[in-house]
Amino acid sequence: MTEQISKDDNLKELYDLINHDLSQPLHSLESLLSILEENHSHELSDEVIQYLEFIKLSSNKIRLTTNSSLNFIKLLIDEKFELVD
């Protein structure tokens, strides 16, 4: 039982780490990209706009991976699994 509590605590710590330490900077990056596009797109070259699109695509991939990881960890915390035949 103590081992299970320790695992749950570790999973909760990992959840918090991903949720805060990865999600928040990612949100900041996405917000800054949005502001840059909205306020300065007319000043940017096509090449720079293309780079911004690559950054947004990468950011979206990170967001999907982060959200998937959070969902999986939450499932591990909330659900109690047992071996079956």
Side-chain angles (χ1 to χ4, degrees):
M1 181 74 169
T2 304
E3 185 178 317
Q4 182 64 35
I5 291 170
S6 178
K7 273 186 184 178
D8 285 351
D9 288 344
N10 289 340
L11 287 171
K12 287 175 185 173
E13 286 178 27
L14 180 60
Y15 184 92
D16 290 340
L17 176 96
I18 291 172
N19 192 36
H20 184 265
D21 293 348
L22 291 178
S23 294
Q24 293 302 331
L26 185 58
H27 177 71
S28 295
L29 174 66
E30 291 167 340
S31 295
L32 289 170
L33 283 169
S34 178
I35 290 168
L36 182 61
E37 284 185 327
E38 288 173 16
N39 295 335
H40 299 284
S41 62
H42 63 281
E43 302 168 18
L44 303 174
S45 70
D46 289 342
E47 184 179 20
V48 172
I49 290 172
Q50 185 177 15
Y51 291 150
L52 290 175
E53 287 300 316
F54 290 144
I55 294 170
K56 286 191 328 187
L57 287 172
S58 294
S59 175
N60 286 336
K61 288 179 185 177
I62 295 169
R63 171 74 59 205
L64 287 172
T65 302
T66 301
N67 288 341
S68 295
S69 297
L70 289 171
N71 288 334
F72 181 69
I73 293 168
K74 187 158 178 47
L75 178 70
L76 290 175
I77 292 170
D78 292 344
E79 298 295 322
K80 302 302 177 212
F81 297 98
E82 59 185 66
L83 293 176
V84 293
D85 285 336

